[in-house]
């Protein structure tokens, strides 16, 4: 009987963890994160899923003859 009780508690804990993980994932989808490199010559913004939302490259970082 005690094993059954422990199993029920374990299942409840698993459901709570899954619910919490879903909440965190939803929040992350709404968040954006920005970073820069090269002294600010390159800036990128991504969402919580890692999808790039914007990318800016300062023209000074690129040779105008080599824009391809």
């Amino acid at each position: 009987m005690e094993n059954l009780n422990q199993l029920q508690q374990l299942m409840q804990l698993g459901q709570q963890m899954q619910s919490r993980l879903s909440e965190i994932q939803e929040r992350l989808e709404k968040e954006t994160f920005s970073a820069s490199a090269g002294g600010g010559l390159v800036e990128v913004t991504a969402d919580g899923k890692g999808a790039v939302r914007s990318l800016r490259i300062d023209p000074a970082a690129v040779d105008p003859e080599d824009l391809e």
Side-chain angles (χ1 to χ4, degrees), residues 2-65:
E2 185 176 322
N3 286 339
L4 182 59
N5 194 20
Q6 289 177 347
L7 181 58
Q8 287 174 334
Q9 289 176 346
L10 184 60
M11 291 189 64
Q12 284 179 335
L13 181 60
Q15 289 173 343
Q16 290 172 359
M17 288 175 57
Q18 187 172 10
S19 175
R20 180 77 175 121
L21 181 58
S22 293
E23 291 172 14
I24 291 169
Q25 287 174 331
E26 286 177 22
R27 260 198 329 232
L28 276 176
E29 287 178 15
K30 297 174 186 173
E31 292 286 328
T32 58
F33 305 90
S34 297
S36 64
L41 293 175
V42 177
E43 293 181 9
V44 66
T45 300
D47 65 19
K49 287 182 145 186
V52 174
R53 295 298 178 192
S54 69
L55 174 66
R56 187 192 64 77
I57 301 173
D58 190 311
V62 182
D63 181 357
E65 300 287 323

